[in-house]
């Protein structure tokens, strides 16, 4: 079926051209549906964009590393043929220090710096990684499929649960027991059981809490770690990658796939409301007042925005509205962008490692303490940082000889007690001092700086709370109950309305699976 010229009626309208909205549009258009994607911003990509933040300096303004995009999805959509190139792949991760200690590489078995710190940890690390890798592989198919419904007598739902149990069974008795033992644990306890080196534990703890409102002692942080590793397991053996031109290049490639398949994309087209006629979706109305009809509306805006703002509670039952209202979505990840007049020098770091992922998280206690301030309306004066210098691999992002530094900063709350008008300058100053302590002279090389708090990110990308996952990734908001029961299979209580963004299973991160799963749900007409 295709759109009828003049009548403005589509099979599917997608709200939001983030990478999930674009992936969903691509699959639906390829399946022959007429698709219109409506994006509020002037460019596609949502939180996967590249933009200028200082004259001549460009940065991936939200997500800055690609580590979760499944190779299968990339191949299915032929992203390479649609312009996606990589400035670097298989990037290394290094835990850096400010006390003169040498950088600690993560990833390769038997690295000499770890052996020097702790022969015991160096011996235990490869087996730990391999074990978590096995768990991640078993869990990945969960990410790649529509979650079953709870408590139905439907054979499809039952089969999905049986398959899950069977996959875990294939791990064998020892691994199965271990997975069941650790999956509900907190990362602090697990890593403390395994290792003694504070910096190793801190660096591993980063992956358990990055993008969440948790410290490593919070229950369920092994689940978030496994969720990330599961996604990475499908992305490749050393999955960290940097698209040429930044993360926006991935979104641009996805937009080309969608349009090549016949979808139309309109930017600067903010959806003001989702229209309902006779208890089913009839289309959308834009902020401009323009009405566009569609049989289905698939929203990549987060669940709170979709249900409470665009649809409106009057179309939903009160229990459902309450569940949506209770979705926890307090973002704590901020973004720091620096324009540098020279390449920063981190002692002991060669150029290959400087072009990779650098972690400032000297211990699990450091991360836990960094989290504490946000509980009481403060930003962390000694935050955990994931730092990249993308211009090492991609000089096109800055004027010749100049550089860009991009860092994820945790924990920075949406609002502070004093307000961001008062706190922004001292927070930024503290960040520059922290970086300078790791890379002496860096502070003096900064020619422009931009700090994007969760409130700024919420405003720029339209995500409630500025939350990485469009809603906390936690046991109570996971898999079969994500974002809430009644909307966990991408279909929603309103006929014709679906979700396809990070607030659905399997959550945030640039992986495209929420978009692909949602397209499958639409195509199979899941109720
Ligand atoms: C600071 C930060 C750093 C991150 N770093 C990484 C990283 O390094 N690697 C990684 O894999 N992930 C990272 N993430 C997570 C990742 O960026 C997100 O989870 C992912 O981009 C979500 O994609 P999405 O398509 O579901 O939603 P989004 O990217 O949020 O896109 C939703 C789109 O919907 C649009 N929209 C909303 N409302 C409307 C409306 N009413 N009308 C029209 N359009 C609308 C928005 O403008 C937006 O374009 C990071 C997130 C943050 C916040």
């Amino acid at each position: 079926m295709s759109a009828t010229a003049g009548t403005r009626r589509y099979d599917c309208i997608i709200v939001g051209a983030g990478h999930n909205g674009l992936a969903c549009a691509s699959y639906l258009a390829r399946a022959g549906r007429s698709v219109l994607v409506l994006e509020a911003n002037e460019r596609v990509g949502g939180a996967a964009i590249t933009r200028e933040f200082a004259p001549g300096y460009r940065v991936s303004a939200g997500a800055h590393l690609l580590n979760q995009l499944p190779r299968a999805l990339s191949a299915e959509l032929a992203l390479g043929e649609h312009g996606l190139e990589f400035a670097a792949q298989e990037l290394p991760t290094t835990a850096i220090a400010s006390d003169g200690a040498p950088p600690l590489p993560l990833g390769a078995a038997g690295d000499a710096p770890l052996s020097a710190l702790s022969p015991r940890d160096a011996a235990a690390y490869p087996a730990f990684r391999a074990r978590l890798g096995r768990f991640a592989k078993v869990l990945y198919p969960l990410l790649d499929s529509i979650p079953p419904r709870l408590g139905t007598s439907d054979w499809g739902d039952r089969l999905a649960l049986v398959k899950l149990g069977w996959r875990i069974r294939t791990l064998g008795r020892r691994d199965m027991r271990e997975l069941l033992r650790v999956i509900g644990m907190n990362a602090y306890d697990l890593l403390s059981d395994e290792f003694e080196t504070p910096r190793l534990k801190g660096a591993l703890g980063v992956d358990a809490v990055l993008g969440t409102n948790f410290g490593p002692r919070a229950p369920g942080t092994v689940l978030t770690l496994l969720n990330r590793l599961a996604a990475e397991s499908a992305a490749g053996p050393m999955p960290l990658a940097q698209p040429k031109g930044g993360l926006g290049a991935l979104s641009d490639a996805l937009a080309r796939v969608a349009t090549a398949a016949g979808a139309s994309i309109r930017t600067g087209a903010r959806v003001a409301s989702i229209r309902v006629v006779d208890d089913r979706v009839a289309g959308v109305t834009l902020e401009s007042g323009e009405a566009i009809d569609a049989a289905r509306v698939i929203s990549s805006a987060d669940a709170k925005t979709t249900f409470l703002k665009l649809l409106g509670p009057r179309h939903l039952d009160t229990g459902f509205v309450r569940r949506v209202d209770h979705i926890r979505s307090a973002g704590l990840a901020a973004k720091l962008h620096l324009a540098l007049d020279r390449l920063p020098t981190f002692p002991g770091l060669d150029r290959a490692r400087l072009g990779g992922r650098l972690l400032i998280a000297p211990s699990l206690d450091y991360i836990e303490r960094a989290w504490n301030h946000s509980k009481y309306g403060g930003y962390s004066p000694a935050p955990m940082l994931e730092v990249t210098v993308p211009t090492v691999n991609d000089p096109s992002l800055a004027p010749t000889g100049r550089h860009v530094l991009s860092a994820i900063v945790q924990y920075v709350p949406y609002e502070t007690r004093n307000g961001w008008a008062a706190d922004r300058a001292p927070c930024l100053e503290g960040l520059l001092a922290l970086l300078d302590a790791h890379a002496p002279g860096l502070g003096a090389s900064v020619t422009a700086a931009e700090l994007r708090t969760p409130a700024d990110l919420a405003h720029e990308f339209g995500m409630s709370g500025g939350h990485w996952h469009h809603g906390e990734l936690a046991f109570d908001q996971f898999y079969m109950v994500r974002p809430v029961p009644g909307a966990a299979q991408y279909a929603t209580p309103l006929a014709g309305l679906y979700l396809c963004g990070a607030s659905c299973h399997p959550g945030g991160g640039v992986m495209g699976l929420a978009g692909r799963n949602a397209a499958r749900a639409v195509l199979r007409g899941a109720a």
Side-chain angles (χ1 to χ4, degrees):
M1 220 197 310
S2 60
T4 318
T7 63
R8 294 194 161 187
R9 183 177 165 80
Y10 292 83
D11 294 329
C12 303
I13 283 178
I14 308 233
V15 181
H19 83 286
N20 274 315
L22 293 169
C24 188
S26 302
Y27 283 102
L28 290 173
R30 280 183 172 190
R33 303 298 187 272
S34 59
V35 179
L36 173 64
V37 185
L38 297 168
E39 169 54 48
N41 286 335
E42 292 302 331
R43 57 162 75 84
V44 300
I49 55 155
T50 311
R51 65 160 170 74
E52 196 173 59
F53 70 99
Y57 294 84
R58 294 183 308 132
V59 73
S60 298
H64 63 179
L65 284 170
L66 199 56
N67 61 319
Q68 305 195 325
L69 188 74
R71 275 178 300 176
L73 187 145
S74 187
E76 270 170 24
L77 296 180
L79 291 176
E81 287 165 34
H82 288 89
L84 179 66
E85 291 178 54
F86 289 98
Q89 298 187 75
E90 303 189 4
L91 291 170
T93 295
T94 311
I96 54 176
S98 59
D99 57 4
L104 178 63
L106 262 82
D111 276 319
L114 182 57
S115 305
L117 290 174
S118 162
R120 191 193 112 183
D121 284 0
Y125 183 59
F128 176 77
R129 273 176 60 93
R131 189 161 66 250
L132 258 49
R134 292 195 293 279
F135 297 166
K137 277 212 169 66
V138 159
L139 294 175
Y140 175 72
L142 243 67
L143 272 51
D144 189 18
S145 56
I146 300 170
R149 290 166 299 175
L150 282 168
T152 73
S153 50
D154 180 275
W155 280 107
D157 292 331
R158 287 178 178 173
L159 190 63
L161 290 169
V162 169
K163 273 190 187 162
L164 169 60
W166 179 251
R167 268 199 309 276
I168 293 176
R169 181 75 188 79
T170 60
L171 279 171
R173 182 187 295 244
R174 220 168 121 181
D175 268 0
M176 187 171 60
R177 277 189 187 154
E178 181 62 4
L179 174 59
L180 296 177
R181 183 182 79 86
V182 303
I183 198 160
M185 280 175 71
N186 69 62
Y188 190 100
D189 287 346
L190 176 68
L191 295 168
S192 302
D193 282 350
E194 300 279 342
F195 303 112
E196 60 187 9
T197 308
R199 196 146 40 108
L200 174 66
K201 291 191 278 182
L204 295 173
V206 170
D207 285 351
V209 297
L210 198 63
T212 72
N213 185 346
F214 293 133
R217 279 198 171 99
T221 37
V222 171
L223 175 78
T224 43
L225 173 63
L226 287 175
N227 190 69
R228 179 183 170 107
L229 295 178
E232 287 187 350
S233 74
M238 288 264 290
L240 277 177
Q242 186 188 328
K244 194 169 176 186
L247 264 284
L250 167 73
S251 301
D252 291 344
L254 279 166
R256 279 184 218 110
V257 176
T259 46
S264 305
I265 300 173
R266 282 176 61 183
T267 54
R270 181 178 294 280
V271 172
S273 64
I274 294 169
R275 283 183 300 111
V276 179
V277 175
D278 294 337
D279 290 330
R280 77 161 285 128
V281 152
V284 300
T285 304
L286 302 186
E287 228 172 36
S288 63
E290 182 185 356
I292 311 175
D293 294 341
R296 289 185 175 78
V297 171
I298 303 137
S299 176
S300 72
D302 63 86
K304 277 190 174 174
T305 301
T306 301
F307 291 120
L308 304 183
K309 292 193 184 145
L310 302 184
L311 181 60
R314 70 184 183 286
H315 296 294
L316 298 161
D317 79 47
T318 46
F320 186 85
V321 170
R322 198 171 51 244
R323 288 201 292 273
V324 172
D325 203 31
H326 289 171
I327 292 173
R328 290 174 295 113
S329 54
L332 286 180
K335 208 56 205 310
L336 175 70
H337 305 140
L338 300 180
L340 308 176
D341 66 11
R342 68 198 89 133
L343 191 65
T345 306
F346 291 83
L349 218 59
D350 61 21
R351 198 176 168 95
R353 290 211 164 262
L354 182 59
R357 177 185 188 231
L358 309 178
L359 300 180
I360 297 182
S363 70
L364 288 168
D365 283 337
Y366 176 97
I367 305 178
E368 189 72 23
R369 281 194 205 100
W371 185 40
N372 284 344
H373 302 265
S374 64
K375 298 173 197 162
Y376 312 106
Y379 60 86
S380 169
M384 166 185 114
L385 257 59
E386 179 187 85
V387 180
T388 64
V389 185
T391 35
V392 170
N393 304 312
D394 187 354
S396 75
L397 296 169
T400 309
R402 307 292 174 100
H403 287 273
V404 167
L405 183 145
S406 164
I408 295 168
V409 184
Q410 260 180 246
Y411 298 81
V412 175
Y414 187 93
E415 278 173 337
T416 59
R417 275 188 313 274
N418 305 326
W420 278 114
D423 279 343
R424 188 179 295 271
C427 180
L428 183 57
E429 209 176 296
L431 287 167
L432 294 181
L434 179 66
L435 284 165
D436 202 77
H438 288 78
L442 186 144
S445 71
V446 175
T447 56
E450 177 185 67
L451 174 65
R452 305 293 290 165
T453 67
D456 299 327
L457 298 168
H459 181 71
E460 182 171 2
F461 304 130
M463 22 167 87
S464 291
H467 197 288
W468 179 300
H469 293 283
H470 285 195
E472 201 55 75
L473 197 68
F475 271 115
D476 61 314
Q477 297 183 173
F478 190 69
Y479 194 44
M480 289 178 281
V481 290
R482 184 171 182 83
V484 288
Q489 287 74 33
Y490 308 96
T492 72
L494 184 73
L497 177 63
Y498 293 77
L499 297 175
C500 72
S503 65
C504 332
H505 172 73
V510 180
M511 55 176 119
L513 292 179
R516 181 166 74 167
N517 290 346
R520 286 177 182 156
V522 171
L523 293 172
R524 84 173 188 195

